[in-house]
């Protein structure tokens, strides 16, 4: 039986430095390896890889916001575990404004 694979691509308003600063919180203590802009997380749920695209800027009128495309691949995860991991990831990187 072939393992299910979930692929998520997000355009995130952050730099690589921001990403690596907030990543431990998103992974809730799971061990991970970093090779340049590539992150690998192995856990009981399965294998999760994250690839960071090049940093760029989004310009809206006079406002400039950092932008990075983040591609995540979840292999061996059940749909429930995938959704839970993605929910924690999103919550860890969520920033509110007022």
């Amino acid at each position: 039986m072939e393992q299910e694979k979930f692929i998520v691509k997000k355009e995130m308003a952050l730099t690589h430095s921001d990403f690596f600063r907030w990543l431990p919180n998103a992974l809730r203590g799971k061990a991970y390896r970093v090779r340049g802009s590539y992150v690998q997380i192995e856990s009981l749920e399965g294998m999760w890889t994250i690839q960071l695209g090049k940093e760029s800027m989004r310009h809206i009128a006079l406002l400039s916001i950092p932008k990075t495309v983040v591609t995540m691949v979840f292999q061996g995860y059940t749909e429930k575990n995938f959704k839970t991991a993605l929910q924690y990831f999103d919550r860890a990187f969520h920033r509110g404004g007022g």
Side-chain angles (χ1 to χ4, degrees), residues 82-98:
F82 156 71
K83 287 180 177 180
T84 299
L86 191 58
Q87 181 181 32
Y88 277 104
F89 180 88
D90 288 343
R91 194 174 301 147
F93 284 95
H94 181 81
R95 293 182 285 180

Side-chain angles (χ1 to χ4, degrees), residues 8 16-17 21 29 31-32 45 50 55 63-64 86 93 95:
V8 177
H16 288 195
S17 178
R21 187 172 54 251
Y32 61 95
E45 291 90 359
I50 303 171
E55 289 182 17
L63 181 66
S64 294
L86 191 58
F93 284 95
R95 293 182 285 180

Side-chain angles (χ1 to χ4, degrees), residues 16-92:
H16 288 195
S17 178
D18 294 334
F19 178 85
F20 287 112
R21 187 172 54 251
W22 298 327
L23 182 63
N25 189 42
L27 298 180
R28 300 174 299 139
K30 289 186 173 119
Y32 61 95
R33 287 183 277 163
V34 176
R35 289 198 175 114
S37 61
Y38 177 83
V39 180
Q40 184 176 29
I41 303 102
E42 292 184 51
S43 67
L44 296 175
E45 291 90 359
M47 172 84 67
W48 177 6
T49 58
I50 303 171
Q51 179 69 49
L52 300 179
K54 291 182 179 181
E55 289 182 17
S56 61
M57 297 298 285
R58 175 179 300 271
H59 302 283
I60 304 168
L62 296 176
L63 181 66
S64 294
I65 301 170
K67 176 178 79 170
T68 301
V69 174
V70 178
T71 304
M72 297 178 277
V73 178
F74 296 81
Q75 292 181 290
Y77 277 67
T78 64
E79 186 170 355
K80 180 182 177 189
N81 287 344
F82 156 71
K83 287 180 177 180
T84 299
L86 191 58
Q87 181 181 32
Y88 277 104
F89 180 88
D90 288 343
R91 194 174 301 147

